[in-house]
mmCIF file of all heavy atoms in Angstrom:
data_model
loop_
_atom_site.group_PDB
_atom_site.id
_atom_site.type_symbol
_atom_site.label_atom_id
_atom_site.label_comp_id
_atom_site.label_asym_id
_atom_site.label_seq_id
_atom_site.Cartn_x
_atom_site.Cartn_y
_atom_site.Cartn_z
ATOM 1 N N VAL A 1 64.451 9.992 38.273
ATOM 2 C CA VAL A 1 63.244 9.639 37.522
ATOM 3 C C VAL A 1 62.203 10.743 37.644
ATOM 4 O O VAL A 1 61.580 11.141 36.653
ATOM 5 C CB VAL A 1 62.675 8.293 38.013
ATOM 6 C CG1 VAL A 1 61.294 8.043 37.419
ATOM 7 C CG2 VAL A 1 63.615 7.147 37.652
ATOM 8 N N ARG A 2 61.993 11.242 38.847
ATOM 9 C CA ARG A 2 60.990 12.295 39.033
ATOM 10 C C ARG A 2 61.352 13.537 38.223
ATOM 11 O O ARG A 2 60.468 14.203 37.663
ATOM 12 C CB ARG A 2 60.861 12.672 40.507
ATOM 13 C CG ARG A 2 59.726 13.668 40.755
ATOM 14 C CD ARG A 2 59.546 13.991 42.210
ATOM 15 N NE ARG A 2 60.676 14.744 42.754
ATOM 16 C CZ ARG A 2 60.736 15.206 43.998
ATOM 17 N NH1 ARG A 2 59.734 14.962 44.824
ATOM 18 N NH2 ARG A 2 61.790 15.872 44.427
ATOM 19 N N ALA A 3 62.650 13.849 38.130
ATOM 20 C CA ALA A 3 63.074 15.022 37.368
ATOM 21 C C ALA A 3 62.899 14.813 35.867
ATOM 22 O O ALA A 3 62.769 15.783 35.113
ATOM 23 C CB ALA A 3 64.527 15.350 37.686
ATOM 24 N N ALA A 4 62.889 13.543 35.439
ATOM 25 C CA ALA A 4 62.846 13.245 34.005
ATOM 26 C C ALA A 4 61.430 13.134 33.450
ATOM 27 O O ALA A 4 61.242 13.127 32.237
ATOM 28 C CB ALA A 4 63.607 11.956 33.720
ATOM 29 N N VAL A 5 60.426 13.003 34.317
ATOM 30 C CA VAL A 5 59.046 12.880 33.843
ATOM 31 C C VAL A 5 58.231 14.054 34.355
ATOM 32 O O VAL A 5 58.513 14.614 35.413
ATOM 33 C CB VAL A 5 58.401 11.546 34.301
ATOM 34 C CG1 VAL A 5 59.141 10.366 33.721
ATOM 35 C CG2 VAL A 5 58.349 11.449 35.825
ATOM 36 N N ASP A 6 57.225 14.418 33.598
ATOM 37 C CA ASP A 6 56.314 15.496 33.980
ATOM 38 C C ASP A 6 54.988 14.878 34.368
ATOM 39 O O ASP A 6 54.393 14.119 33.596
ATOM 40 C CB ASP A 6 56.123 16.468 32.816
ATOM 41 C CG ASP A 6 55.354 17.724 33.220
ATOM 42 O OD1 ASP A 6 54.575 17.657 34.190
ATOM 43 O OD2 ASP A 6 55.515 18.756 32.557
ATOM 44 N N ILE A 7 54.508 15.192 35.567
ATOM 45 C CA ILE A 7 53.270 14.587 36.040
ATOM 46 C C ILE A 7 52.089 14.925 35.134
ATOM 47 O O ILE A 7 51.154 14.131 34.995
ATOM 48 C CB ILE A 7 52.986 15.003 37.508
ATOM 49 C CG1 ILE A 7 51.915 14.104 38.121
ATOM 50 C CG2 ILE A 7 52.597 16.484 37.586
ATOM 51 C CD1 ILE A 7 51.757 14.268 39.619
ATOM 52 N N LEU A 8 52.136 16.069 34.470
ATOM 53 C CA LEU A 8 51.072 16.419 33.532
ATOM 54 C C LEU A 8 51.023 15.436 32.369
ATOM 55 O O LEU A 8 49.942 15.037 31.923
ATOM 56 C CB LEU A 8 51.278 17.840 32.998
ATOM 57 C CG LEU A 8 50.748 18.990 33.853
ATOM 58 C CD1 LEU A 8 51.187 20.323 33.262
ATOM 59 C CD2 LEU A 8 49.236 18.927 33.973
ATOM 60 N N ASP A 9 52.184 15.044 31.875
ATOM 61 C CA ASP A 9 52.236 14.086 30.771
ATOM 62 C C ASP A 9 51.745 12.712 31.205
ATOM 63 O O ASP A 9 51.034 12.021 30.462
ATOM 64 C CB ASP A 9 53.662 13.979 30.227
ATOM 65 C CG ASP A 9 54.134 15.272 29.577
ATOM 66 O OD1 ASP A 9 53.268 16.047 29.125
ATOM 67 O OD2 ASP A 9 55.353 15.507 29.538
ATOM 68 N N VAL A 10 52.137 12.301 32.401
ATOM 69 C CA VAL A 10 51.762 10.967 32.881
ATOM 70 C C VAL A 10 50.258 10.880 33.102
ATOM 71 O O VAL A 10 49.595 9.944 32.645
ATOM 72 C CB VAL A 10 52.524 10.624 34.176
ATOM 73 C CG1 VAL A 10 52.033 9.297 34.759
ATOM 74 C CG2 VAL A 10 54.020 10.562 33.907
ATOM 75 N N ILE A 11 49.687 11.853 33.816
ATOM 76 C CA ILE A 11 48.252 11.816 34.094
ATOM 77 C C ILE A 11 47.453 12.115 32.834
ATOM 78 O O ILE A 11 46.346 11.600 32.646
ATOM 79 C CB ILE A 11 47.894 12.816 35.213
ATOM 80 C CG1 ILE A 11 48.595 12.415 36.520
ATOM 81 C CG2 ILE A 11 46.390 12.894 35.434
ATOM 82 C CD1 ILE A 11 48.312 13.345 37.689
ATOM 83 N N GLY A 12 48.012 12.915 31.947
ATOM 84 C CA GLY A 12 47.274 13.321 30.754
ATOM 85 C C GLY A 12 47.289 12.326 29.622
ATOM 86 O O GLY A 12 46.703 12.593 28.571
ATOM 87 N N GLN A 13 47.926 11.162 29.812
ATOM 88 C CA GLN A 13 47.950 10.161 28.753
ATOM 89 C C GLN A 13 46.542 9.660 28.461
ATOM 90 O O GLN A 13 45.893 9.061 29.307
ATOM 91 C CB GLN A 13 48.850 8.979 29.149
ATOM 92 C CG GLN A 13 50.320 9.329 29.215
ATOM 93 C CD GLN A 13 51.158 8.181 29.750
ATOM 94 O OE1 GLN A 13 50.638 7.131 30.137
ATOM 95 N NE2 GLN A 13 52.468 8.371 29.783
ATOM 96 N N GLY A 14 46.057 9.929 27.265
ATOM 97 C CA GLY A 14 44.767 9.411 26.840
ATOM 98 C C GLY A 14 43.569 10.132 27.410
ATOM 99 O O GLY A 14 42.442 9.639 27.308
ATOM 100 N N THR A 15 43.741 11.283 28.048
ATOM 101 C CA THR A 15 42.608 12.013 28.598
ATOM 102 C C THR A 15 42.877 13.512 28.500
ATOM 103 O O THR A 15 44.026 13.935 28.361
ATOM 104 C CB THR A 15 42.355 11.614 30.071
ATOM 105 O OG1 THR A 15 41.144 12.209 30.532
ATOM 106 C CG2 THR A 15 43.500 12.073 30.959
ATOM 107 N N GLU A 16 41.827 14.308 28.580
ATOM 108 C CA GLU A 16 41.955 15.753 28.410
ATOM 109 C C GLU A 16 42.290 16.427 29.737
ATOM 110 O O GLU A 16 41.604 16.243 30.738
ATOM 111 C CB GLU A 16 40.650 16.336 27.862
ATOM 112 C CG GLU A 16 40.699 17.841 27.643
ATOM 113 C CD GLU A 16 39.360 18.413 27.200
ATOM 114 O OE1 GLU A 16 38.382 17.631 27.143
ATOM 115 O OE2 GLU A 16 39.296 19.624 26.935
ATOM 116 N N VAL A 17 43.365 17.207 29.724
ATOM 117 C CA VAL A 17 43.781 17.973 30.888
ATOM 118 C C VAL A 17 43.453 19.437 30.630
ATOM 119 O O VAL A 17 43.834 20.003 29.610
ATOM 120 C CB VAL A 17 45.295 17.801 31.161
ATOM 121 C CG1 VAL A 17 45.719 18.659 32.339
ATOM 122 C CG2 VAL A 17 45.623 16.338 31.430
ATOM 123 N N ARG A 18 42.734 20.068 31.570
ATOM 124 C CA ARG A 18 42.312 21.459 31.406
ATOM 125 C C ARG A 18 43.002 22.366 32.427
ATOM 126 O O ARG A 18 43.141 21.989 33.583
ATOM 127 C CB ARG A 18 40.792 21.584 31.597
ATOM 128 C CG ARG A 18 39.960 20.710 30.683
ATOM 129 C CD ARG A 18 38.490 20.873 31.029
ATOM 130 N NE ARG A 18 37.653 19.921 30.304
ATOM 131 C CZ ARG A 18 36.334 19.781 30.509
ATOM 132 N NH1 ARG A 18 35.734 20.543 31.416
ATOM 133 N NH2 ARG A 18 35.657 18.886 29.816
ATOM 134 N N PRO A 19 43.420 23.561 32.000
ATOM 135 C CA PRO A 19 43.995 24.508 32.962
ATOM 136 C C PRO A 19 42.920 25.087 33.874
ATOM 137 O O PRO A 19 41.781 25.312 33.453
ATOM 138 C CB PRO A 19 44.601 25.583 32.055
ATOM 139 C CG PRO A 19 43.822 25.514 30.792
ATOM 140 C CD PRO A 19 43.423 24.081 30.617
ATOM 141 N N GLN A 20 43.273 25.316 35.128
ATOM 142 C CA GLN A 20 42.368 25.944 36.093
ATOM 143 C C GLN A 20 43.231 26.774 37.038
ATOM 144 O O GLN A 20 43.772 26.271 38.019
ATOM 145 C CB GLN A 20 41.562 24.897 36.861
ATOM 146 C CG GLN A 20 40.465 25.493 37.739
ATOM 147 C CD GLN A 20 39.656 24.420 38.440
ATOM 148 O OE1 GLN A 20 40.070 23.909 39.475
ATOM 149 N NE2 GLN A 20 38.513 24.069 37.887
ATOM 150 N N GLY A 21 43.337 28.074 36.719
ATOM 151 C CA GLY A 21 44.232 28.925 37.488
ATOM 152 C C GLY A 21 45.667 28.495 37.284
ATOM 153 O O GLY A 21 46.119 28.275 36.154
ATOM 154 N N ARG A 22 46.397 28.329 38.387
ATOM 155 C CA ARG A 22 47.789 27.886 38.306
ATOM 156 C C ARG A 22 47.891 26.373 38.222
ATOM 157 O O ARG A 22 48.980 25.835 38.009
ATOM 158 C CB ARG A 22 48.563 28.393 39.526
ATOM 159 C CG ARG A 22 48.590 29.913 39.645
ATOM 160 C CD ARG A 22 49.249 30.360 40.934
ATOM 161 N NE ARG A 22 50.654 29.948 41.007
ATOM 162 C CZ ARG A 22 51.437 30.216 42.045
ATOM 163 N NH1 ARG A 22 50.960 30.884 43.080
ATOM 164 N NH2 ARG A 22 52.696 29.828 42.046
ATOM 165 N N ASN A 23 46.776 25.690 38.402
ATOM 166 C CA ASN A 23 46.760 24.231 38.381
ATOM 167 C C ASN A 23 46.091 23.720 37.111
ATOM 168 O O ASN A 23 45.685 24.479 36.237
ATOM 169 C CB ASN A 23 46.030 23.696 39.615
ATOM 170 C CG ASN A 23 46.735 24.060 40.903
ATOM 171 O OD1 ASN A 23 47.961 24.153 40.951
ATOM 172 N ND2 ASN A 23 45.969 24.278 41.953
ATOM 173 N N PHE A 24 45.946 22.401 37.041
ATOM 174 C CA PHE A 24 45.220 21.750 35.958
ATOM 175 C C PHE A 24 44.248 20.754 36.572
ATOM 176 O O PHE A 24 44.465 20.262 37.690
ATOM 177 C CB PHE A 24 46.188 21.021 35.017
ATOM 178 C CG PHE A 24 47.050 21.933 34.198
ATOM 179 C CD1 PHE A 24 48.197 22.504 34.747
ATOM 180 C CD2 PHE A 24 46.723 22.232 32.891
ATOM 181 C CE1 PHE A 24 49.005 23.352 33.998
ATOM 182 C CE2 PHE A 24 47.522 23.078 32.136
ATOM 183 C CZ PHE A 24 48.656 23.637 32.690
ATOM 184 N N VAL A 25 43.171 20.456 35.841
ATOM 185 C CA VAL A 25 42.192 19.487 36.322
ATOM 186 C C VAL A 25 41.935 18.465 35.230
ATOM 187 O O VAL A 25 42.094 18.738 34.035
ATOM 188 C CB VAL A 25 40.861 20.155 36.744
ATOM 189 C CG1 VAL A 25 41.051 21.035 37.955
ATOM 190 C CG2 VAL A 25 40.260 20.942 35.591
ATOM 191 N N VAL A 26 41.520 17.272 35.661
ATOM 192 C CA VAL A 26 41.225 16.180 34.743
ATOM 193 C C VAL A 26 40.189 15.285 35.403
ATOM 194 O O VAL A 26 40.067 15.254 36.639
ATOM 195 C CB VAL A 26 42.519 15.387 34.424
ATOM 196 C CG1 VAL A 26 43.047 14.698 35.667
ATOM 197 C CG2 VAL A 26 42.283 14.376 33.321
ATOM 198 N N ARG A 27 39.418 14.579 34.602
ATOM 199 C CA ARG A 27 38.465 13.622 35.178
ATOM 200 C C ARG A 27 39.225 12.510 35.895
ATOM 201 O O ARG A 27 40.121 11.890 35.326
ATOM 202 C CB ARG A 27 37.581 13.028 34.080
ATOM 203 C CG ARG A 27 36.549 14.009 33.538
ATOM 204 C CD ARG A 27 35.598 13.326 32.593
ATOM 205 N NE ARG A 27 34.560 14.236 32.125
ATOM 206 C CZ ARG A 27 33.572 13.883 31.309
ATOM 207 N NH1 ARG A 27 33.506 12.644 30.854
ATOM 208 N NH2 ARG A 27 32.668 14.773 30.938
ATOM 209 N N CYS A 28 38.834 12.266 37.110
ATOM 210 C CA CYS A 28 39.523 11.256 37.915
ATOM 211 C C CYS A 28 39.212 9.855 37.377
ATOM 212 O O CYS A 28 38.046 9.489 37.235
ATOM 213 C CB CYS A 28 39.097 11.364 39.382
ATOM 214 S SG CYS A 28 39.848 10.101 40.436
ATOM 215 N N PRO A 29 40.230 9.049 37.087
ATOM 216 C CA PRO A 29 39.990 7.695 36.585
ATOM 217 C C PRO A 29 39.615 6.695 37.665
ATOM 218 O O PRO A 29 39.312 5.545 37.353
ATOM 219 C CB PRO A 29 41.345 7.328 35.954
ATOM 220 C CG PRO A 29 42.339 8.081 36.763
ATOM 221 C CD PRO A 29 41.665 9.376 37.142
ATOM 222 N N PHE A 30 39.622 7.137 38.940
ATOM 223 C CA PHE A 30 39.393 6.203 40.032
ATOM 224 C C PHE A 30 37.960 6.218 40.552
ATOM 225 O O PHE A 30 37.636 5.515 41.498
ATOM 226 C CB PHE A 30 40.379 6.493 41.166
ATOM 227 C CG PHE A 30 41.796 6.557 40.700
ATOM 228 C CD1 PHE A 30 42.559 7.698 40.898
ATOM 229 C CD2 PHE A 30 42.368 5.490 40.038
ATOM 230 C CE1 PHE A 30 43.862 7.777 40.454
ATOM 231 C CE2 PHE A 30 43.673 5.551 39.584
ATOM 232 C CZ PHE A 30 44.421 6.701 39.792
ATOM 233 N N HIS A 31 37.108 7.059 39.982
ATOM 234 C CA HIS A 31 35.682 7.005 40.274
ATOM 235 C C HIS A 31 34.932 7.537 39.062
ATOM 236 O O HIS A 31 35.526 8.100 38.139
ATOM 237 C CB HIS A 31 35.330 7.808 41.542
ATOM 238 C CG HIS A 31 35.354 9.294 41.375
ATOM 239 N ND1 HIS A 31 36.525 10.045 41.417
ATOM 240 C CD2 HIS A 31 34.361 10.190 41.150
ATOM 241 C CE1 HIS A 31 36.246 11.317 41.237
ATOM 242 N NE2 HIS A 31 34.940 11.439 41.066
ATOM 243 N N ASN A 32 33.634 7.337 39.029
ATOM 244 C CA ASN A 32 32.827 7.788 37.900
ATOM 245 C C ASN A 32 32.699 9.307 37.948
ATOM 246 O O ASN A 32 31.740 9.855 38.477
ATOM 247 C CB ASN A 32 31.445 7.119 37.922
ATOM 248 C CG ASN A 32 31.531 5.628 37.673
ATOM 249 O OD1 ASN A 32 32.295 5.192 36.817
ATOM 250 N ND2 ASN A 32 30.775 4.840 38.425
ATOM 251 N N ASP A 33 33.678 9.950 37.378
ATOM 252 C CA ASP A 33 33.806 11.402 37.467
ATOM 253 C C ASP A 33 33.120 12.070 36.272
ATOM 254 O O ASP A 33 33.563 11.916 35.129
ATOM 255 C CB ASP A 33 35.293 11.771 37.489
ATOM 256 C CG ASP A 33 35.532 13.173 38.025
ATOM 257 O OD1 ASP A 33 34.552 13.809 38.444
ATOM 258 O OD2 ASP A 33 36.695 13.607 38.021
ATOM 259 N N ARG A 34 32.048 12.818 36.537
ATOM 260 C CA ARG A 34 31.329 13.489 35.454
ATOM 261 C C ARG A 34 31.932 14.833 35.101
ATOM 262 O O ARG A 34 31.793 15.309 33.989
ATOM 263 C CB ARG A 34 29.855 13.661 35.847
ATOM 264 C CG ARG A 34 29.135 12.333 36.024
ATOM 265 C CD ARG A 34 27.653 12.543 36.290
ATOM 266 N NE ARG A 34 26.957 11.265 36.410
ATOM 267 C CZ ARG A 34 25.644 11.154 36.628
ATOM 268 N NH1 ARG A 34 24.908 12.249 36.754
ATOM 269 N NH2 ARG A 34 25.098 9.965 36.723
ATOM 270 N N ARG A 35 32.585 15.443 36.069
ATOM 271 C CA ARG A 35 33.287 16.679 35.773
ATOM 272 C C ARG A 35 34.657 16.600 36.432
ATOM 273 O O ARG A 35 34.813 15.947 37.470
ATOM 274 C CB ARG A 35 32.512 17.894 36.285
ATOM 275 C CG ARG A 35 32.293 17.904 37.782
ATOM 276 C CD ARG A 35 31.544 19.174 38.185
ATOM 277 N NE ARG A 35 31.379 19.271 39.622
ATOM 278 C CZ ARG A 35 30.804 20.310 40.237
ATOM 279 N NH1 ARG A 35 30.360 21.323 39.504
ATOM 280 N NH2 ARG A 35 30.690 20.332 41.546
ATOM 281 N N PRO A 36 35.644 17.249 35.856
ATOM 282 C CA PRO A 36 37.009 17.086 36.363
ATOM 283 C C PRO A 36 37.125 17.413 37.853
ATOM 284 O O PRO A 36 36.792 18.518 38.280
ATOM 285 C CB PRO A 36 37.817 18.072 35.516
ATOM 286 C CG PRO A 36 37.037 18.224 34.258
ATOM 287 C CD PRO A 36 35.596 18.128 34.678
ATOM 288 N N SER A 37 37.601 16.452 38.637
ATOM 289 C CA SER A 37 37.755 16.675 40.075
ATOM 290 C C SER A 37 39.154 16.326 40.566
ATOM 291 O O SER A 37 39.439 16.461 41.748
ATOM 292 C CB SER A 37 36.716 15.864 40.858
ATOM 293 O OG SER A 37 36.843 14.481 40.599
ATOM 294 N N LEU A 38 40.011 15.847 39.668
ATOM 295 C CA LEU A 38 41.388 15.552 40.052
ATOM 296 C C LEU A 38 42.243 16.764 39.693
ATOM 297 O O LEU A 38 42.280 17.190 38.536
ATOM 298 C CB LEU A 38 41.897 14.304 39.328
ATOM 299 C CG LEU A 38 43.259 13.748 39.767
ATOM 300 C CD1 LEU A 38 43.313 12.240 39.554
ATOM 301 C CD2 LEU A 38 44.413 14.407 39.030
ATOM 302 N N THR A 39 42.904 17.336 40.694
ATOM 303 C CA THR A 39 43.710 18.545 40.511
ATOM 304 C C THR A 39 45.181 18.179 40.415
ATOM 305 O O THR A 39 45.683 17.374 41.197
ATOM 306 C CB THR A 39 43.501 19.519 41.685
ATOM 307 O OG1 THR A 39 42.112 19.857 41.772
ATOM 308 C CG2 THR A 39 44.312 20.781 41.487
ATOM 309 N N ILE A 40 45.870 18.788 39.451
ATOM 310 C CA ILE A 40 47.306 18.572 39.258
ATOM 311 C C ILE A 40 48.026 19.894 39.515
ATOM 312 O O ILE A 40 47.666 20.927 38.938
ATOM 313 C CB ILE A 40 47.621 18.104 37.830
ATOM 314 C CG1 ILE A 40 46.767 16.877 37.460
ATOM 315 C CG2 ILE A 40 49.098 17.778 37.683
ATOM 316 C CD1 ILE A 40 46.825 16.528 35.985
ATOM 317 N N ASN A 41 49.011 19.854 40.390
ATOM 318 C CA ASN A 41 49.832 21.033 40.659
ATOM 319 C C ASN A 41 51.183 20.839 39.973
ATOM 320 O O ASN A 41 52.026 20.078 40.452
ATOM 321 C CB ASN A 41 50.029 21.214 42.165
ATOM 322 C CG ASN A 41 50.724 22.514 42.514
ATOM 323 O OD1 ASN A 41 51.697 22.898 41.880
ATOM 324 N ND2 ASN A 41 50.221 23.200 43.519
ATOM 325 N N PRO A 42 51.402 21.494 38.813
ATOM 326 C CA PRO A 42 52.640 21.256 38.066
ATOM 327 C C PRO A 42 53.882 21.778 38.786
ATOM 328 O O PRO A 42 54.980 21.259 38.563
ATOM 329 C CB PRO A 42 52.397 22.006 36.751
ATOM 330 C CG PRO A 42 51.379 23.045 37.078
ATOM 331 C CD PRO A 42 50.514 22.464 38.143
ATOM 332 N N GLU A 43 53.727 22.801 39.639
ATOM 333 C CA GLU A 43 54.887 23.323 40.358
ATOM 334 C C GLU A 43 55.377 22.317 41.392
ATOM 335 O O GLU A 43 56.577 22.060 41.510
ATOM 336 C CB GLU A 43 54.528 24.640 41.042
ATOM 337 C CG GLU A 43 54.223 25.781 40.074
ATOM 338 C CD GLU A 43 53.894 27.069 40.812
ATOM 339 O OE1 GLU A 43 54.260 27.161 42.001
ATOM 340 O OE2 GLU A 43 53.281 27.964 40.207
ATOM 341 N N ARG A 44 54.447 21.767 42.136
ATOM 342 C CA ARG A 44 54.815 20.787 43.157
ATOM 343 C C ARG A 44 54.943 19.374 42.581
ATOM 344 O O ARG A 44 55.404 18.472 43.274
ATOM 345 C CB ARG A 44 53.758 20.769 44.269
ATOM 346 C CG ARG A 44 53.605 22.098 45.004
ATOM 347 C CD ARG A 44 52.427 22.011 45.947
ATOM 348 N NE ARG A 44 52.202 23.264 46.674
ATOM 349 C CZ ARG A 44 51.092 23.537 47.348
ATOM 350 N NH1 ARG A 44 50.104 22.655 47.391
ATOM 351 N NH2 ARG A 44 50.959 24.685 47.981
#
């Protein structure tokens, strides 16, 4: 299952994902996030 899904697609459903260096950032849905603070590492 982990090999079949991409974490970027799962977290990015319905929200904007922005590149930041080798990683990506998105507004965290678990707190009132005014600027993207959730970091996604696509390699790991």
Side-chain angles (χ1 to χ4, degrees):
V1 170
R2 186 177 68 177
V5 298
D6 189 334
I7 195 169
L8 276 173
D9 294 335
V10 174
I11 297 180
Q13 292 174 357
T15 187
E16 180 184 4
V17 177
R18 304 177 188 174
Q20 188 178 82
R22 299 174 63 181
N23 297 327
F24 290 81
V25 294
V26 65
R27 287 187 177 182
C28 177
F30 308 122
H31 74 279
N32 293 319
D33 199 4
R34 296 185 178 181
R35 61 179 183 177
S37 59
L38 188 151
T39 301
I40 307 169
N41 187 316
E43 294 181 19
R44 299 173 181 166

